[in-house]
Amino acid sequence: CYRATAAHQAVFSRHKMATRLAARMFTTAAQQALSTKVCIVGSGPAAHTAAIYAARAELQPILFEGDAMVGGQLTTTTEVENFPGFPEGVMGGELCDRFRKQSERFGTKILGEMVTKVDLSKRPFNIFTENHHVTADTLIIATGADAKRMDFPGSGEGAGGYWNKGISACAVCDGAAPIFRNKPLLVVGGGDSAMEEASFLSRYASKVILVHRRPEFRASKIMLARARNNPKIEFMVPYVPVAALGDKLLRTVRLKNVQDDTTIDVPANGLFFAIGHQPATGFLGGQLALDDKGYIATKPGATSTSIEGVFACGDVQDSKWRQAITAAGSGCMAALEAEHFIAAHS
């Protein structure tokens, strides 16, 4: 394999320094210039696992956690019962706080700012926020994917809303909770995810009603047949939810027939959205290759992307599993790959 001579390394070092100095010329007066071997964008289990590994490798990572919904989708979950090490369960927010403290313990510099744009045309990469301009030898993207939710009276958070009080967007995360056991539950959606979630929930629910706005389904034939053959799953089409009702918890979902506009109130202690996810990739400006679902494309069995030195982990590149534990595992992979990349290019 190619091994750089001392002369080559000197040229590389001078080029690297010149590139960083040139990058700083574009930093506005209001932006503080920083440089790092590893910059991480994200705030969930993938981001913090990457930060912990990178920091322990003495790579002095900088992590941008954003300024809203810090912790990612875990913060929208109440009790997490399937993350190892917590036999009694742990609140989603508390788990995120523990991730953050562990990252800080090993020296990760955490900044509560949103990354607005990046320049990946050359190394070191340029990462911009309102207050900082960071040059980084490697970039780890762990920005996650937001579960799509419907907006109707009672579907939100706060007063009068039943989000996390019976309404969820993750059956695997929340479906085994006591408030859903042996109760009627609704799943909204028409794809494979909806069929999977309905089948999963049927283990715990008294019955599952799958609600879809059209008689036709996008789900594969085998998944649809599996749901139809499940004696605990019923179908209601063509309906959409228009209101969530209850007391302290969800008790009833009002459904509207999209063909004749009639409504019906259906008793339900749970309503699960299974209408897809939106990966958080807008700030990349189309510089990385995405798959056909809009997730960052990574090489099989790895976290490397279409640009050398850029790695993606967690839900931003995972359209299938979308679990905290799988996100953490891929965060470990990204940090180790970044470490090896840095060593090979030093």
Side-chain angles (χ1 to χ4, degrees):
C1 62
Y2 173 81
R3 294 184 181 274
T5 64
H8 284 135
Q9 289 178 341
V11 171
F12 176 78
S13 296
R14 286 197 297 272
H15 173 72
K16 191 172 178 181
M17 182 176 294
T19 303
R20 280 190 168 146
L21 288 172
R24 287 196 178 108
M25 292 175 64
F26 294 98
T27 302
T28 67
Q31 288 177 316
Q32 180 184 356
L34 299 172
S35 63
T36 181
K37 293 180 180 178
V38 180
C39 182
I40 302 166
V41 185
S43 62
H48 282 294
T49 303
I52 291 164
Y53 272 79
R56 282 172 52 83
E58 299 184 348
L59 297 177
Q60 300 176 320
I62 293 174
L63 184 150
F64 286 108
E65 65 178 0
D67 56 9
M69 199 176 168
V70 174
Q73 289 199 69
L74 271 181
T75 60
T76 70
T77 302
T78 50
E79 191 171 27
V80 179
E81 296 181 317
N82 55 3
F83 199 91
F86 298 91
E88 304 302 323
V90 60
M91 299 299 286
E94 180 188 348
L95 187 57
C96 293
D97 289 342
R98 287 172 176 258
F99 293 153
R100 194 178 193 278
K101 289 176 182 177
Q102 193 168 355
S103 293
E104 288 184 310
R105 176 193 167 196
F106 292 109
T108 302
K109 183 179 181 67
I110 299 177
L111 299 172
E113 301 172 31
M114 291 288 292
V115 172
T116 55
K117 63 178 180 178
V118 296
D119 179 2
L120 307 180
S121 60
K122 59 183 180 299
R123 292 195 304 271
F125 304 119
N126 293 283
I127 299 96
F128 299 90
T129 71
E130 183 178 352
N131 298 316
H132 288 88
H133 172 199
V134 172
T135 53
D137 295 337
T138 60
L139 175 63
I140 295 176
I141 302 167
T143 46
D146 297 323
K148 295 178 182 178
R149 292 157 58 173
M150 299 180 71
D151 184 18
F152 50 80
S155 66
E157 304 169 47
Y162 293 98
W163 182 256
N164 275 339
K165 300 174 185 175
I167 299 181
S168 170
C170 183
V172 175
C173 309
D174 303 326
I179 64 170
F180 299 128
R181 288 180 178 268
N182 300 309
K183 301 291 196 307
L185 307 177
L186 267 62
V187 173
V188 180
D192 279 352
S193 292
M195 305 303 146
E196 288 177 4
E197 300 226 338
S199 297
F200 177 83
L201 291 170
S202 70
R203 305 175 192 175
Y204 310 102
S206 59
K207 68 176 179 179
V208 178
I209 302 174
L210 209 155
V211 179
H212 189 43
R213 63 170 47 250
R214 290 183 293 272
E216 302 81 20
F217 293 89
R218 292 178 290 104
S220 59
K221 290 182 179 180
I222 188 169
M223 293 300 299
L224 181 58
R226 191 173 297 167
R228 288 195 184 281
N229 291 332
N230 188 322
K232 294 179 73 174
I233 297 177
E234 302 175 5
F235 288 76
M236 286 193 70
V237 295
Y239 284 90
V240 293
V242 293
L245 311 168
D247 39 52
K248 292 182 178 180
L249 297 173
L250 178 70
R251 304 296 182 189
T252 302
V253 177
R254 182 165 296 155
L255 301 177
K256 183 181 79 170
N257 187 306
V258 298
Q259 292 181 347
D260 60 20
D261 288 337
T262 57
T263 61
I264 181 173
D265 287 354
V266 178
N269 292 74
L271 171 63
F272 292 82
F273 296 126
I275 53 177
H277 289 72
Q278 182 64 48
T281 58
F283 71 99
L284 296 172
Q287 297 176 79
L288 285 179
L290 308 178
D291 66 16
D292 57 358
K293 296 180 181 178
Y295 292 78
I296 295 177
T298 54
K299 295 179 181 178
T303 63
S304 51
T305 68
S306 57
I307 295 179
E308 284 193 341
V310 179
F311 307 91
C313 55
D315 289 7
V316 75
Q317 55 84 52
D318 175 15
S319 63
K320 184 174 183 179
W321 305 113
R322 298 192 298 265
Q323 298 298 303
I325 193 65
T326 54
S330 66
C332 166
M333 292 169 60
L336 293 176
E337 286 191 77
E339 182 183 359
H340 293 162
F341 180 88
I342 291 166
H345 291 80
S346 295

